[in-house]
Amino acid sequence: FERRAFAGWNYSTAFSLVWANQALSKTFYQVNPNEVTSNRGAYQAQAGLMLVRLTNTISHKLGKDWRVFGGVRIDSVNGAKNQDSPLIKKNTGASYFMGLNYTISRSSQAARE
Protein backbone atom coordinates (compact mmCIF):
# COMPACT_ATOMS: atom_id res chain seq x y z
CA PHE A 1 0.00 0.00 0.00
CA GLU A 2 1.46 3.36 -1.01
CA ARG A 3 -0.03 6.85 -0.95
CA ARG A 4 1.07 10.33 -1.83
CA ALA A 5 0.14 12.65 0.99
CA PHE A 6 0.70 16.40 0.86
CA ALA A 7 3.63 18.76 0.17
CA GLY A 8 5.89 16.03 -1.26
CA TRP A 9 5.32 13.44 1.50
CA ASN A 10 4.67 9.76 0.68
CA TYR A 11 3.92 6.87 2.99
CA SER A 12 3.71 3.13 2.44
CA THR A 13 2.95 -0.09 4.25
CA ALA A 14 4.07 -3.51 3.03
CA PHE A 15 3.26 -7.00 4.33
CA SER A 16 5.58 -9.81 3.22
CA LEU A 17 5.97 -13.54 3.63
CA VAL A 18 9.64 -14.50 3.23
CA TRP A 19 10.37 -18.03 2.02
CA ALA A 20 13.74 -19.79 2.30
CA ASN A 21 15.17 -22.78 0.48
CA GLN A 22 17.09 -25.50 2.33
CA ALA A 23 20.48 -23.78 1.98
CA LEU A 24 19.29 -20.44 3.37
CA SER A 25 17.38 -22.12 6.19
CA LYS A 26 20.54 -24.01 7.22
CA THR A 27 22.50 -20.74 7.30
CA PHE A 28 20.17 -19.13 9.85
CA TYR A 29 18.63 -22.00 11.84
CA GLN A 30 20.61 -25.25 11.68
CA VAL A 31 22.76 -26.54 14.54
CA ASN A 32 25.07 -29.36 13.43
CA PRO A 33 26.11 -32.10 15.90
CA ASN A 34 29.61 -30.60 16.26
CA GLU A 35 28.03 -27.23 17.25
CA VAL A 36 25.93 -28.61 20.13
CA THR A 37 26.52 -27.09 23.57
CA SER A 38 24.94 -27.66 26.97
CA ASN A 39 22.26 -25.04 26.23
CA ARG A 40 21.98 -25.52 22.42
CA GLY A 41 20.81 -28.83 20.99
CA ALA A 42 21.18 -30.12 17.44
CA TYR A 43 18.59 -28.88 14.96
CA GLN A 44 17.89 -29.81 11.34
CA ALA A 45 16.60 -26.76 9.45
CA GLN A 46 13.88 -27.10 6.80
CA ALA A 47 12.90 -25.10 3.73
CA GLY A 48 9.69 -23.10 4.00
CA LEU A 49 8.30 -19.93 5.52
CA MET A 50 11.23 -18.04 7.05
CA LEU A 51 9.44 -15.02 8.53
CA VAL A 52 6.55 -12.62 8.29
CA ARG A 53 7.45 -8.95 7.78
CA LEU A 54 5.56 -5.66 8.15
CA THR A 55 7.26 -2.47 6.91
CA ASN A 56 6.08 1.12 7.28
CA THR A 57 7.95 3.87 5.43
CA ILE A 58 7.59 7.63 5.09
CA SER A 59 9.52 9.78 2.63
CA HIS A 60 9.72 13.39 1.56
CA LYS A 61 10.84 14.77 -1.78
CA LEU A 62 13.51 17.45 -1.28
CA GLY A 63 13.88 18.35 -4.95
CA LYS A 64 13.85 16.70 -8.35
CA ASP A 65 16.53 14.15 -7.46
CA TRP A 66 16.70 14.10 -3.64
CA ARG A 67 14.47 12.26 -1.16
CA VAL A 68 14.77 11.65 2.60
CA PHE A 69 13.15 8.53 4.06
CA GLY A 70 12.70 6.58 7.26
CA GLY A 71 10.63 3.81 8.74
CA VAL A 72 10.23 0.74 10.86
CA ARG A 73 10.27 -2.96 9.97
CA ILE A 74 8.84 -5.70 12.20
CA ASP A 75 9.93 -9.30 11.56
CA SER A 76 8.34 -12.33 13.22
CA VAL A 77 9.12 -16.06 13.07
CA ASN A 78 5.84 -17.00 14.77
CA GLY A 79 4.40 -19.80 12.64
CA ALA A 80 7.57 -20.11 10.56
CA LYS A 81 8.99 -23.49 9.54
CA ASN A 82 12.08 -23.19 11.80
CA GLN A 83 10.48 -21.40 14.73
CA ASP A 84 11.77 -24.12 17.09
CA SER A 85 15.45 -23.67 16.21
CA PRO A 86 17.57 -23.24 19.36
CA LEU A 87 19.25 -20.27 17.63
CA ILE A 88 16.06 -18.21 17.93
CA LYS A 89 16.01 -16.20 21.15
CA LYS A 90 13.14 -13.81 20.32
CA ASN A 91 10.23 -14.49 17.97
CA THR A 92 9.68 -10.85 17.00
CA GLY A 93 12.09 -7.97 16.39
CA ALA A 94 12.02 -4.42 15.06
CA SER A 95 14.44 -2.49 12.86
CA TYR A 96 14.43 1.25 12.33
CA PHE A 97 15.96 2.94 9.32
CA MET A 98 16.52 6.34 7.77
CA GLY A 99 18.43 7.66 4.82
CA LEU A 100 18.90 10.03 1.96
CA ASN A 101 18.34 9.02 -1.66
CA TYR A 102 19.71 10.66 -4.81
CA THR A 103 18.49 9.72 -8.32
CA ILE A 104 21.50 9.49 -10.62
CA SER A 105 19.66 8.93 -13.89
CA ARG A 106 16.14 8.74 -15.26
CA SER A 107 14.56 6.94 -18.19
CA SER A 108 13.91 9.08 -21.23
CA GLN A 109 10.27 7.91 -21.19
CA ALA A 110 8.19 8.37 -18.04
CA ALA A 111 5.96 5.55 -16.80
CA ARG A 112 2.22 6.01 -16.76
CA GLU A 113 0.31 5.42 -13.55
Side-chain angles (χ1 to χ4, degrees):
F1 175 80
E2 184 174 357
R3 286 282 184 244
R4 287 189 176 127
F6 56 91
W9 287 95
N10 289 347
Y11 61 94
S12 66
T13 298
F15 176 77
S16 309
L17 301 173
V18 180
W19 295 89
N21 63 14
Q22 185 70 30
L24 186 60
S25 293
K26 283 182 177 183
T27 299
F28 287 101
Y29 303 115
Q30 186 153 317
V31 178
N32 294 316
N34 63 326
E35 300 166 328
V36 171
T37 66
S38 60
N39 56 358
R40 182 179 65 215
Y43 183 80
Q44 180 66 43
Q46 301 173 41
L49 179 65
M50 185 172 176
L51 58 93
V52 176
R53 174 175 289 158
L54 178 66
T55 307
N56 290 301
T57 305
I58 188 166
S59 66
H60 181 65
K61 196 170 184 177
L62 299 174
K64 180 181 176 189
D65 295 323
W66 290 94
R67 181 174 295 277
V68 64
F69 63 90
V72 62
R73 184 176 87 185
I74 311 266
D75 291 332
S76 176
V77 295
N78 286 321
K81 192 71 169 182
N82 294 292
Q83 177 181 345
D84 297 328
S85 169
L87 299 178
I88 294 176
K89 300 300 180 198
K90 290 173 57 178
N91 285 359
T92 304
S95 302
Y96 306 93
F97 57 91
M98 58 189 280
L100 184 65
N101 182 66
Y102 177 74
T103 302
I104 295 170
S105 179
R106 296 186 190 283
S107 172
S108 61
Q109 186 175 8
R112 287 188 251 169
E113 292 185 19

